[in-house]
Amino acid sequence: MSIHIEAKKGEIAETVLLPGDPMRAKWIAETFFENPKCYNNVRGMLGYTGLYKGKRVSVQGTGMGIPSALIYCHELINEYGVKNLIRVGSTGSYQKDVKIRDIVIAMAASSTSGINNSRFINADYSPTANFELFLNAALYAKDNNIPIKAGNVLSADEFYDDDFDSYKKWAEFGVLCVEMETAGLYTIAAKFNVRALSILTVSDSLVTKERTSADERESTFNTMVEIALNSV
Ligand code: HPA
């Protein structure tokens, strides 16, 4: 047992999907896994292990934002030996051609978080996806005619920005969309020499102000989870 996860050693698989919402973790386990077993309920941050296509896989809720996600990633890597961490989350579009319901794979993550500023003083660190996981995800999507977009995303520290138009600066420099965890995930994976990937579905657009309905979110979430489970 670690501080925030009550699983015994060996109860968590080497590959873990990471939704922010613990209820999504439950839904993924019940929808995609054979024989899912819940291994964590500390703080209601549900985690499950089961089988997908005969291989052991886990899913763990992370909560929202880099600080919360890093707690779970740190313990999964260092206490449970996890080697592949794949975030499956939602994102807000910054670009006209990144539309609601699109799937975005984060090649790299810019950030407004201070985690790397305090590590690499007066220098910029570039948190990037693991190339093998990225390639597998992109090839799976291509082979199955699932359109994807890939590029730089922003991991923001605040969901509600003071200045609504501040996204335009990031958009001008090619950032595709905003979420709140990937830069932390890619940084900690690099630090501990494990593999990480973030796959996102666009739930809302800062450009057009559209939002997906709960039903639409569920069906696009399905496709994203399918890509994630076939990326390792
Ligand atoms: N901001 C931050 N995170 C998000 C958003 C957003 O607009 N949409 C989905 N995740």
Side-chain angles (χ1 to χ4, degrees):
M1 161 160 198
S2 61
I3 296 176
H4 302 88
I5 303 175
E6 62 191 337
K8 296 191 196 74
K9 296 262 184 231
E11 283 185 337
I12 303 181
E14 276 202 353
T15 298
V16 181
L17 265 53
L18 301 166
D21 178 355
M23 292 311 289
R24 284 281 183 198
K26 183 171 191 282
W27 178 83
I28 290 169
E30 288 172 353
T31 308
F32 288 91
F33 293 2
E34 269 170 59
N35 202 18
K37 292 219 166 60
C38 182
Y39 63 73
N40 192 52
N41 198 13
V42 176
R43 292 177 182 244
M45 202 57 82
L46 296 166
Y48 295 81
T49 298
L51 293 177
Y52 178 77
K53 294 185 177 169
K55 283 199 209 139
R56 278 181 90 231
V57 59
S58 297
V59 59
Q60 172 65 56
T62 65
M64 288 177 279
I66 289 175
S68 179
L70 283 182
I71 289 173
Y72 294 97
C73 292
H74 186 101
E75 294 179 19
L76 289 170
I77 296 166
N78 293 295
E79 310 275 343
Y80 295 98
V82 171
K83 301 289 183 215
N84 302 300
L85 298 103
I86 307 176
R87 167 163 157 69
V88 283
S90 62
T91 185
S93 172
Y94 276 4
Q95 303 283 347
K96 245 197 339 251
D97 64 350
V98 177
K99 301 202 162 55
I100 58 167
R101 295 182 293 275
D102 279 359
I103 292 176
V104 176
I105 306 188
M107 296 171 74
S110 302
S111 189
T112 56
S113 150
I115 56 161
N116 286 327
N117 289 344
S118 53
R119 276 198 180 98
F120 300 98
I121 299 172
N122 292 329
D124 295 323
Y125 176 74
S126 300
T128 53
N130 171 264
F131 179 67
E132 244 179 306
L133 292 185
F134 177 79
L135 186 64
N136 290 345
L139 290 176
Y140 180 84
K142 183 166 185 276
D143 290 348
N144 290 278
N145 297 315
I146 302 167
I148 55 158
K149 298 203 162 64
N152 200 352
V153 307
L154 177 69
S155 301
D157 256 1
E158 285 186 300
F159 188 93
Y160 298 103
D161 215 305
D162 287 345
D163 171 11
F164 189 80
D165 280 343
S166 67
Y167 84 87
K168 289 181 179 163
K169 174 70 87 180
W170 297 103
E172 194 185 327
F173 283 78
V175 170
L176 301 179
C177 54
V178 60
E179 49 83 81
M180 302 184 75
E181 294 83 12
T182 299
L185 170 65
Y186 286 1
T187 300
I188 197 172
K191 181 175 175 194
F192 294 113
N193 195 25
V194 296
R195 312 196 298 176
L197 185 67
S198 244
I199 309 177
L200 307 164
T201 58
V202 180
S203 59
D204 55 281
S205 168
L206 281 87
V207 184
T208 64
K209 321 281 189 275
E210 292 166 282
R211 287 191 170 277
T212 47
S213 67
D215 282 356
E216 286 173 328
R217 277 201 294 279
E218 185 156 318
S219 65
T220 42
F221 212 85
N222 233 309
T223 311
M224 168 174 63
V225 171
E226 182 192 326
I227 297 174
L229 287 167
N230 286 284
S231 297
V232 179

